[in-house]
Amino acid sequence: MNRTALEETAQAMVSEGKGILAADESNATMTKRLEAVGIESTPESRRRFRGLMLTAEGAADHISGVIMYDETLRQASDDGTPFPELLASAGILPGIKVDTGAKPLAGFPRETVTEGLDGLSARLGRYHELGARFAKWRAVIGIGYDRPTRGCIGANAHALARYAALCQEAGIVPIVEPEVLMDGEHTIDRSEEVTAAVLRTVFGQLAEQRVLLEGIVLKPNMLLSGYDCPEQARVEEVAERTLACYLRVVPAAVPGIAFLSGGQSDERAAAHLNAMNRIAGMPWELTFSYGRALVAAPLKAWAANTAEVADAQAAFLHRARCNAAARIGEYAESMEHELVA
Ligand code: 13P
């Protein structure tokens, strides 16, 4: 294992003033998103939409890496440049989603385990040849009155650790994503209890599988009140409680925490990240690895006229700029009115 290369890549992924674009929706998910705005989902429409973000002039000022789906990693821009090559030449790290999705966990009703370990070593080798320098694997943990179970947390943590070890052996930095869903009526206290338990188990498994913590990026949820909870935590409370919890359970050797947006509004996702970055003295970089909070706005703009990319690119760059500002604690709501098309 080349420790230095892994550490350098991980640090570049969380470098100052930048964050990660998660454009790795599976074809099924991307089809839902495209059809919701009236666009037929084909390999070509998916290529054109992802392509407009990847070729947006100036994206590299705010984006350190892009997570792609297998299909996109093998596609090319209009001028025929393969997307991984295009990104690398702009100074953006190409990444790849390698899990094959969350599947029902046998014996545990309503719980899932993320699959994709079979043949992963060979796939990682091919992805590295295609230019991928980091990968993503998302475990999904739901909260309910009888969930999550220890069985579900344990199975998902074990798979995450096995994936991370295989990535590092292939010279690829693993994004370790244990997502605790914020759907439900639970309080922020319950969100904290579950998230802490999940992260303790994940880091225990990472240690057992001999994963180099300096060569990973953690991609967790923020601690929020469940979306249907009548009492919603304020922005500052979310920031303070998230960091207080993570100080207890995330080792300082981890170079960076790149949060997922998880269905928050675009503005909330930026405001929460901003509030966290205004709290000094954290051992890790705090940045974003957003999907919906970066992609929803350009998709809406593109849907209005798919023959044109300028408005969609402006909408994408605007979200990237807002979140990059939040990543250094310089986001203000007033920025939301500064979209320059
Ligand atoms: P969201 O930011 O939309 O939660 O997506 C991030 C992601 O990559 C989930 O795996």
Side-chain angles (χ1 to χ4, degrees):
M1 192 204 307
N2 184 339
R3 296 173 64 114
T4 313
L6 289 171
E7 288 176 27
E8 283 174 3
T9 300
Q11 281 160 14
M13 288 163 67
V14 296
S15 58
E16 177 135 2
K18 295 186 188 187
I20 297 166
L21 163 64
D24 61 324
E25 302 87 350
S26 65
N27 284 349
T29 302
M30 199 60 214
T31 296
K32 261 190 253 158
R33 303 256 153 91
L34 286 165
E35 288 177 352
V37 292
I39 299 171
E40 191 191 349
S41 180
T42 63
E44 178 59 9
S45 66
R46 295 191 290 267
R47 185 194 71 82
R48 288 180 59 220
F49 177 62
R50 263 75 175 252
L52 77 84
M53 293 187 287
L54 306 192
T55 57
E57 184 101 24
D61 295 344
H62 314 297
I63 301 294
S64 58
V66 177
I67 317 171
M68 288 174 278
Y69 189 57
D70 180 273
E71 176 183 88
T72 316
L73 190 80
R74 298 168 192 278
Q75 288 178 324
S77 63
D78 292 344
D79 71 5
T81 314
F83 282 139
E85 196 181 312
L86 181 123
L87 289 173
S89 64
I92 298 176
L93 290 160
I96 177 75
K97 182 228 294 290
V98 299
D99 68 67
T100 55
K103 305 287 159 57
L105 178 60
F108 294 81
R110 300 187 310 289
E111 295 198 298
T112 61
V113 63
T114 298
E115 295 188 349
L117 288 172
D118 287 352
L120 181 57
S121 174
R123 284 199 290 137
L124 287 166
R126 286 198 294 279
Y127 285 141
H128 194 279
E129 280 167 19
L130 287 168
R133 291 297 172 264
F134 71 95
K136 180 187 111 172
W137 178 290
R138 172 176 177 253
V140 186
I141 310 286
I143 298 183
Y145 76 97
D146 59 350
R147 289 176 300 143
T149 60
R150 291 165 77 91
C152 168
I153 296 173
N156 277 291
H158 181 74
L160 269 171
R162 290 266 292 113
Y163 139 83
L166 286 167
C167 282
Q168 291 190 336
E169 204 160 74
I172 288 182
V173 168
I175 290 185
V176 174
E177 180 178 3
E179 176 173 4
V180 177
L181 297 174
M182 291 301 138
D183 302 305
E185 294 177 359
H186 57 272
T187 60
I188 189 169
D189 292 349
R190 177 86 171 121
S191 165
E192 173 172 351
E193 179 185 46
V194 172
T195 303
V198 167
L199 288 174
R200 281 199 184 96
T201 310
V202 167
F203 280 100
Q205 286 292 324
L206 291 173
E208 274 192 24
Q209 297 301 323
R210 303 181 174 174
V211 171
L212 176 74
L213 294 186
E214 290 84 347
I216 73 165
V217 170
L218 179 68
K219 175 165 174 169
N221 49 286
M222 301 172 189
L223 297 194
L224 308 177
S225 314
Y227 292 137
D228 296 326
C229 179
E231 200 170 314
Q232 290 291 311
R234 288 173 308 105
V235 169
E236 285 70 27
E237 186 182 0
V238 165
E240 283 161 18
R241 296 203 46 174
T242 300
L243 294 183
C245 171
Y246 283 27
L247 280 170
R248 289 185 211 112
V249 294
V250 179
V254 172
I257 297 178
F259 290 96
L260 58 94
S261 61
Q264 303 176 58
S265 71
D266 292 355
E267 293 78 11
R268 270 289 160 123
H272 285 147
L273 179 63
N274 189 63
M276 284 191 268
N277 274 299
R278 294 186 78 90
I279 301 174
M282 294 301 133
W284 345 264
E285 299 295 333
L286 297 171
T287 188
F288 58 90
S289 174
Y290 289 165
R292 284 161 284 180
L294 282 170
V295 169
L299 181 57
K300 190 168 164 225
W302 192 53
N305 179 6
T306 54
E308 259 301 321
V309 297
D311 287 354
Q313 287 184 324
F316 168 63
L317 289 171
H318 177 66
R319 293 266 39 97
R321 222 174 5 251
C322 286
N323 287 306
R327 193 245 168 280
I328 51 170
E330 290 182 3
Y331 167 78
E333 232 228 291
S334 57
M335 284 183 76
E336 296 296 346
H337 314 295
E338 292 166 8
L339 198 164
V340 275

